[in-house]
Amino acid sequence: MVESLWNAEEAAGLTGVDLLVYRSNRLGADRRVCNWGGGNTSAKSVEADFRGRLREVLWVKGSGSDLATVTRRSFTPLFLDDVRPLLAREAMSDEEMVAYLAHCVTGPGYPRQSIETLLHAFLPFPHVDHTHPDAIIGVACAAGGEAIAREIFGDEFVWAPYLRPGFLLSKVIAEAVQANPKARLVVMEKHGLITWGETAEESYANTLAAINAAEQYVAGRAAGRPPFGGEAVPPLPPAARRALLARVLPAVRGAAGGSRGTILQVDESAEVLAFVGSRDGARLSQVGAACPDHLVHTKRVPLWVDWTPAGDDAAGLAAAVLAGVERYAAEYRAYTAAHRSPDDPAGDPFPRVILVPGVGMITTGKDKAAAGLAAQLYHRALAVMAGAEALRRFVSLTPAESYAVESWPLELYKLSLAPAERELARRVALVTGGAGGIGRAVADRLARDGAHVVVADLDEPGAREVAAELCKKHGPGRGLAVGLDVTDEAAVERAFAEAVTAYGGLDVLVACAGISSSAPVEETSLAEWNRNLSVLATGYFLVSRAAFRILRAQGQGGAVVFVASKNAVVGGKNAAAYSTAKAAEVHLARCLAEEGGAAGIRVNTVNPDAVLQGSKIWDSAWREQRAATYGIRPDQLEEHYRQRTVLKVEVLPEDVAEAVAFLAGPRSAKTTGCILSVDGGVTPAYSR
Ligand SMILES: [Zn+2]
């Protein structure tokens, strides 16, 4: 049952477009009623035009927005007396329709009207809802759906045979509704539902009533029978699933992302596990898409991985996924070749949804949000398939119908509204010491360039704060915090496994975690010496090793950037332990550059000097120790360092982040084994 979310008190003070927004948000709030980005709503009113003449206006949702979050600005007003005459036409191309409707908008500054605008305009009712509810699509995608709908709705509905949205579908529906005065709703084959009302509340109530009638009918038919033919394979225990995924996901990501890369999301929900372990899952998953709106985010079919679940078979699973992706891409190319016109852009051939028996679902996307959306829509598809199979047999859009949607310029227009991708889009970066001054600036800079950033730090609350800030500034899922002591081998493995589980893999490692201590050599304890070496040298080794394993499994190259120090190349008085460990970092980078080259893994170093701002190191005893070494007061250090540089400047965390961003991304594609100084110019540190 979908429950009414209408609150009479909240709605009481609203009129016009505000009430339309309210109704739309209520519809979008329940994804069983309306999937993300799908569906549209409208209201008709009489308003004065720019000359003061009273005219009928259709307020309809704009293209590309989501009902759950629409605002006044998401709707477009059109003069109905300009739109209605179109009903008399016999045919109209999409291009003609879009160009014509652009003239009907009442003024400038509105979004492009929904591609389903004519559905709303041609129906004579004051309020119209078009949604994609699971229960209704279950009927609309069942073999013999029209007869089933008749059992549910009697003669009070109109059945609209599948047509791609556009002029003709709108005309057919308007004429069918006109011919049936009893009609209260339209069931659109392999698509969705249209309802209406004299008031906004009535329209909303009619939408819910239609859905609940269908849902009740489906539930009656499904009673006593398990969905999808019942369980064939039980899910692996959660710990075994996670361990398998941590080992297999990088290879999956490498194969399914092509050269552009992709972000993965894992779904182990009960619905998904039931489906991937079911008797009918393999067959049903390959029938096709249930609704044009699903298809755009999930593709026509998912990849069903041919693998018998076994908790210790990571190699077998990886091989099965790679073979599956290869087969999928070949089939996708054949499918597009069979249907495409010469001018169609070649779509990427990789799956968006990957189903693994016993393990769950992996979805892909250009970012975390897109991967999440594919998962969300496949959940809708599961609900639709369960319903359709309970009624009779699930039928989908045909390959030709699917291709016509995938390559449809108006649908591609919706996707084109997204901003252009940034340099590190589709990339995952892990920054150690990510809660510190330089680490924080690096994390923010990489996220600004489009990367998803794992903020790893010994200071876990600090890492959480940075990650939360990244999500707030750059989008949901763009930052992830992990607590990490880089000297703890097991902790390093866990942190990288977390990154892999969250995003599917890794492309960039920035090793930034640091400490420092200053003392004359006679006063340097062995413990202090060991501590410097273990954090700065061993810590850099451990995270690099973990990163290399993932990068190699992905097979798409990668970038490792060490944040070292001027002290790595210049003898530092009273800082032997720190400087020696920093020198080890730089040499480790050179060795790793040699090892990674053949796999396209670049390893470079940034050598900053005296970055005091925001630094935890400089808040510690180190500041006083360094000041004592130079014979000045601690608060004179900034000026001391500035005067020491050739350029007479203070080096800031953002300056170091800029250099890291360059070495992490494609602009430095041909640079490895290099040291980039960001020190304001320190003569003894000039490379030679
Ligand atoms: Zn639709």
Side-chain angles (χ1 to χ4, degrees):
M1 281 284 281
V2 290
E3 277 92 34
S4 173
L5 302 174
W6 194 274
N7 181 322
E9 247 170 73
E10 278 172 15
L14 303 173
T15 54
V17 185
D18 293 327
L19 191 55
L20 175 59
V21 169
Y22 180 80
R23 179 173 110 228
S24 305
N25 292 160
R26 301 281 95 55
L27 288 168
D30 190 334
R31 292 306 184 193
R32 294 171 299 172
V33 173
C34 206
N35 55 276
W36 190 94
N40 30 70
T41 50
S42 69
K44 300 181 179 80
S45 60
V46 175
E47 296 177 25
D49 74 0
F50 64 104
R51 288 173 58 193
R53 295 172 302 194
L54 288 180
R55 294 172 73 182
E56 226 187 326
V57 170
L58 169 75
W59 284 89
V60 67
K61 201 200 80 164
S63 188
S65 50
D66 178 34
L67 283 179
T69 53
V70 284
T71 62
R72 280 184 75 97
R73 282 208 302 266
S74 316
F75 286 85
T76 303
L78 298 99
F79 288 123
L80 263 174
D81 52 5
D82 287 332
V83 182
R84 275 212 188 99
L86 291 179
L87 187 53
R89 294 205 188 185
E90 282 308 311
M92 194 173 198
S93 74
D94 291 337
E95 294 73 22
E96 233 184 316
M97 178 181 80
V98 169
Y100 184 101
L101 290 177
H103 289 290
C104 307
V105 179
T106 64
Y110 296 103
R112 188 200 269 195
Q113 67 286 340
S114 161
I115 54 185
E116 284 160 327
T117 292
L118 292 184
L119 281 180
H120 295 268
F122 289 168
L123 290 172
F125 313 108
H127 300 269
V128 177
D129 292 337
H130 165 50
T131 52
H132 302 147
D134 298 345
I136 294 288
I137 306 182
V139 174
C141 279
E146 186 176 0
I148 295 167
R150 193 164 306 285
E151 286 186 38
I152 304 170
F153 301 114
D155 55 1
E156 295 184 335
F157 82 108
V158 161
W159 175 261
Y162 180 80
L163 279 173
R164 191 173 75 180
F167 173 81
L168 190 60
L169 176 64
S170 307
K171 182 180 165 81
V172 166
I173 287 175
E175 288 174 351
V177 169
Q178 205 174 16
N180 179 0
K182 287 190 186 163
R184 292 186 295 112
L185 58 115
V186 178
V187 177
M188 303 163 79
E189 185 186 19
K190 298 189 276 193
H191 185 154
L193 171 71
I194 304 171
T195 52
W196 48 83
E198 287 301 314
T199 65
E201 189 177 358
E202 188 184 281
S203 192
Y204 177 79
N206 285 344
T207 298
L208 263 55
I211 296 168
N212 283 330
E215 198 174 296
Q216 215 175 352
Y217 184 87
V218 173
R221 290 300 190 88
R225 279 186 297 151
F228 312 123
E231 185 178 276
V233 191
L236 293 171
R241 292 201 302 263
R242 307 272 152 71
L244 261 178
L245 285 166
R247 291 178 62 190
V248 170
L249 286 175
V252 176
R253 179 165 180 256
S259 54
R260 295 177 72 198
T262 190
I263 301 296
L264 305 186
Q265 170 148 316
V266 173
D267 189 320
E268 303 174 280
S269 60
E271 296 92 336
V272 163
L273 286 172
F275 185 69
V276 297
S278 71
R279 267 174 235 288
D280 296 341
R283 171 184 64 80
L284 272 176
S285 72
Q286 301 306 301
V287 171
C291 163
D293 266 77
H294 294 183
L295 170 71
V296 175
H297 301 283
T298 63
K299 289 211 165 161
R300 192 176 74 81
V301 289
L303 164 61
W304 180 277
V305 178
D306 184 14
W307 177 71
T308 306
D312 54 358
D313 187 25
L317 176 54
V321 175
L322 299 197
V325 170
E326 211 170 297
R327 180 171 40 79
Y328 186 98
E331 284 171 8
Y332 188 82
R333 290 193 182 97
Y335 150 75
T336 51
H339 301 286
R340 75 193 293 255
S341 334
D343 303 341
D344 291 353
D348 94 72
F350 302 108
R352 297 291 313 275
V353 178
I354 300 171
L355 302 170
V356 186
V359 174
M361 170 167 76
I362 303 163
T363 51
T364 74
K366 65 181 172 138
D367 54 24
K368 191 70 182 161
L373 190 51
Q376 211 188 91
L377 284 159
Y378 205 71
H379 273 275
R380 305 273 59 86
L382 292 180
V384 167
M385 287 190 284
E389 285 282 304
L391 293 174
R392 202 161 295 165
R393 180 173 54 83
F394 170 59
V395 290
S396 73
L397 297 176
T398 65
E401 287 165 351
S402 295
Y403 185 77
V405 172
E406 267 189 77
S407 62
W408 188 23
L410 296 193
E411 195 61 65
L412 296 177
Y413 171 80
K414 270 210 258 183
L415 300 178
S416 78
L417 295 177
E421 291 193 11
R422 294 174 185 277
E423 191 171 293
L424 293 176
R426 300 165 182 265
R427 300 281 174 248
V428 181
L430 187 147
V431 182
T432 72
I438 292 177
R440 187 184 285 251
V442 166
D444 185 62
R445 178 53 208 257
L446 298 182
R448 187 145 58 86
D449 285 350
H452 295 67
V453 182
V454 182
V455 183
D457 205 294
L458 193 56
D459 168 15
E460 203 175 333
R464 275 203 295 273
E465 187 195 310
V466 175
E469 185 72 24
L470 295 183
C471 294
K472 204 168 111 196
K473 269 169 78 175
H474 305 289
R478 292 288 301 282
L480 171 77
V482 296
L484 174 62
D485 174 355
V486 295
T487 67
D488 178 342
E489 187 176 14
V492 169
E493 295 307 316
R494 274 199 306 277
F496 280 78
E498 260 187 74
V500 166
T501 307
Y503 299 118
L506 185 75
D507 305 285
V508 175
L509 164 67
V510 183
C512 213
I515 51 154
S516 57
S517 63
S518 175
V521 67
E522 311 92 288
E523 291 164 29
T524 301
S525 67
L526 176 61
E528 209 45 41
W529 171 266
N530 283 340
R531 198 169 79 91
N532 274 281
L533 283 171
S534 87
V535 174
L536 301 175
T538 309
Y540 275 48
F541 152 69
L542 286 175
V543 296
S544 300
R545 186 180 68 178
F548 260 60
R549 285 174 179 158
I550 297 170
L551 295 175
R552 275 199 205 283
Q554 267 173 195
Q556 300 283 344
V560 174
V561 184
F562 283 1
V563 176
S565 162
K566 175 216 75 181
N567 287 35
V569 293
V570 180
K573 202 168 79 175
N574 290 351
Y578 174 75
S579 304
T580 304
K582 282 289 173 188
E585 283 178 11
V586 168
H587 199 61
L588 175 62
R590 291 190 191 102
C591 298
L592 297 182
E594 285 296 297
E595 284 196 38
I601 303 169
R602 302 181 296 109
V603 186
N604 292 291
T605 303
V606 176
N607 270 359
D609 187 35
V611 181
L612 281 71
Q613 199 187 82
S615 166
K616 288 183 205 154
I617 292 173
W618 287 96
D619 284 343
S620 66
W622 172 256
R623 179 184 273 269
E624 279 169 26
Q625 291 157 354
R626 292 320 290 166
T629 299
Y630 301 126
I632 55 173
R633 292 197 317 270
D635 66 354
Q636 292 174 320
L637 265 177
E638 275 89 347
E639 190 54 27
H640 171 81
Y641 283 123
R642 200 192 334 261
Q643 289 310 324
R644 199 172 72 171
T645 66
V646 174
L647 296 171
K648 309 287 181 226
V649 290
E650 186 185 350
V651 182
L652 302 173
E654 291 71 25
D655 303 322
V656 182
E658 177 69 32
V660 170
F662 169 71
L663 291 171
R667 286 176 293 149
S668 63
K670 294 178 185 173
T671 299
T672 194
C674 144
I675 298 175
L676 180 50
S677 297
V678 185
D679 57 8
V682 176
T683 310
Y686 286 177
S687 63
R688 59 184 69 84

